[in-house]
Amino acid sequence: MVPRRQEFGHLAEEIAASDVVLLFLSRGYFASKACAIEYEAAVRLGKPLILVHEGNENKGGLPLEQARRDCPEPLREAVFSGRPIVSWQRSDAFQQIALKRIVAEVLVACGCDLPRSVARRNLHATAPADGGIAAPSAGPAGFEDGLKPETWLSGTAGLFARLSLPTVSAVRGEKVDHGAISLGSDALYLHKEARLVPKLRAGPLTLAFSRHNHGAREIALEIASLVAGCSAAEWPLSDPPAGRVVPLLLLDASTFGGDSGERLAGEVRQWCAQRATTPLLLHAALAEDGGCPFEEVMQRTPTDLVHAKLYSQIALPWFQQPDFRKAALVALSQELDQRKAA
C-alpha cells in the first residue's frame, strides 16, 4: 500500500466516511499517489465502487483496456471484476445518460440499506405521459403486506428514480442481497429529456444504406421500425423511393477498410454526386463498440471524398451499449425529422 503522505491530507479517512466511492478513470489515474490512497482505501474497506471511464483521448482519456493494465495487479480484480463501467460523455444528451447511470449505480449500491425516512414517506408515483415530473402520491395498496412495491425516490434537478425493491424489509433498512436489486437508466428520467420522434412531420423518407458499410443496415432497419414515415432500403434502390432519400453512413474502425472499402467508397461517391442526398453520418468512437477516433476514419477515407466535403457536417455519436444506443436513436430520429422538414 502507498503510505499516506502529509500533503494529501486525510484522504483515507474521507474514503472511510463515504458510502460509495466513484473512480474517474482517465490517463494517469493509477499513477497518481493521491488517487492510489483513495482507491486502495476503498478496496481495503470494501466500499462500493462506481467506475466512470473517460475514453476521449483528446480530453485526457485512454482506452479502457489500458486503464485495466495500469491498475496495480494485486488490486485489479477487486477494482474491475464484475463491475459495470459508465462511459463518460460530454454531448448533452449522452451526458444525461452517463449521469443517470451513475445515479443508478449509487442507488443500487445504497439500496441494501435504504433510509428509514423513505419507508415512512412511502413515496410512489408514475412517470407522466408528457415527460414532466410526477408528483409523489400515496403508496400502492398492499405495501405493508410485504408485496414488492416500486418506490419513486426524488432527487435534485428534476431527476426521479424508480427502484424495484426485492422485499418491504429493504425499505425498513434491513440488509438484502445486493444482486437482487436491478436499476438501469430506463428507471430514471429527467425533466425535458429528449424523446424519440414518433412520426416524421413532413411525410415519408427513405433511409438508404450500403451493404458494404458494416452495421449500417441494422441501424437503418431499427430506426425505420421506431419512426413512422421512415423506411430503410439498400443502395442502389431497387424501387422508387418513398419521399426523400437520406443515405446513412456509419463511421467506425471498419469504414473504408478491407475488401469492401473501395465498393463502399464507390457508393458514397454516388451519394455525393447527388447533392439532394447528403449522407447522414454516425460515428462510433469507442473501441468496445468497434469504433475508433475520427482521425483514423479520415486517414482511410479516399481523398476525393474528403474534397467532396463528405465531412462538412458533424457526425452524430453512435454507441452499442443499450442506454447510449437509445439516446443515439433519439438523436437520429430528430435529425431525420429536421432534414425532412427543412
Side-chain angles (χ1 to χ4, degrees):
M1 293 292 186
V2 177
R4 181 167 63 85
R5 300 178 184 273
Q6 185 64 36
E7 62 265 30
F8 296 135
H10 303 281
L11 293 180
E13 288 86 345
E14 292 172 358
I15 293 296
S18 301
D19 295 313
V20 183
V21 178
L22 185 149
L23 308 184
F24 192 85
L25 306 180
S26 58
R27 189 185 310 125
Y29 174 81
F30 287 107
S32 165
K33 294 180 180 179
C35 293
I37 292 173
E38 294 178 336
Y39 65 72
E40 288 177 356
V43 170
R44 183 177 68 253
L45 297 171
K47 296 291 183 178
L49 298 180
I50 297 175
L51 305 186
V52 180
H53 171 233
E54 173 60 83
N56 188 337
E57 297 185 31
N58 294 327
K59 300 293 184 180
L62 77 170
L64 182 57
E65 285 307 311
Q66 181 63 52
R68 293 180 192 272
R69 290 193 295 269
D70 290 348
C71 181
E73 196 278 332
L75 298 175
R76 193 171 298 150
E77 182 174 357
V79 171
F80 285 98
S81 181
R83 200 180 302 282
I85 298 174
V86 179
S87 175
W88 183 246
Q89 304 296 324
R90 285 178 167 76
S91 176
D92 286 347
F94 299 97
Q95 190 173 90
Q96 286 182 1
I97 297 297
L99 291 171
K100 286 166 64 175
R101 291 197 63 197
I102 292 171
V103 171
E105 293 300 324
V106 170
L107 289 172
V108 169
C110 297
C112 297
D113 193 3
L114 293 174
R116 293 179 182 274
S117 60
V118 174
R120 287 197 300 269
R121 292 176 65 189
N122 192 12
L123 298 180
H124 184 75
T126 56
D130 62 359
I133 299 177
S137 61
F143 182 87
E144 294 299 332
D145 295 330
L147 299 180
K148 296 182 179 180
E150 288 183 327
T151 299
W152 285 88
L153 306 176
S154 61
T156 60
L159 180 66
F160 276 72
R162 183 170 64 183
L163 176 60
S164 296
L165 302 173
T167 62
V168 72
S169 63
V171 183
R172 291 172 177 160
E174 299 176 15
K175 293 288 185 180
V176 296
D177 179 14
H178 188 274
I181 299 177
S182 177
L183 180 63
S185 67
D186 277 351
L188 300 162
Y189 66 93
L190 290 164
H191 185 50
K192 296 184 179 179
E193 188 171 337
R195 289 179 175 272
L196 187 88
V197 174
K199 182 178 181 180
L200 298 179
R201 291 173 293 175
L205 176 150
T206 298
L207 193 59
F209 59 87
S210 170
R211 68 167 60 190
H212 309 299
N213 186 200
H214 179 72
R217 177 181 182 274
E218 290 75 13
I219 297 171
L221 291 174
E222 184 171 7
I223 195 68
S225 71
L226 296 171
V227 178
C230 179
S231 59
E234 183 178 320
W235 185 272
L237 304 180
S238 58
D239 299 314
R244 184 180 177 185
V245 176
V246 175
L248 176 69
L249 181 62
L250 175 62
L251 307 174
D252 61 14
S254 67
T255 308
F256 297 122
D259 296 337
S260 61
E262 184 53 40
R263 289 190 288 271
L264 173 61
E267 295 190 348
V268 175
R269 290 186 181 99
Q270 296 174 23
W271 298 344
C272 292
Q274 302 179 35
R275 297 188 180 276
T277 58
T278 304
L280 192 159
L281 307 179
L282 297 179
H283 176 222
L286 299 181
E288 52 265 38
D289 290 340
C292 64
F294 184 74
E295 292 78 9
E296 292 186 17
V297 179
M298 284 283 290
Q299 291 173 2
R300 292 194 305 272
T301 305
T303 304
D304 64 304
L305 291 179
V306 176
H307 290 164
K309 299 183 179 180
L310 173 62
Y311 299 130
S312 61
Q313 60 174 306
I314 297 176
L316 298 176
W318 182 254
F319 302 89
Q320 293 295 347
Q321 197 281 332
D323 287 340
F324 290 111
R325 185 185 181 98
K326 290 176 183 177
L329 288 168
V330 169
L332 177 55
S333 73
Q334 294 176 341
E335 174 66 19
L336 290 174
D337 192 49
Q338 292 170 5
R339 285 197 171 205
K340 183 57 186 175

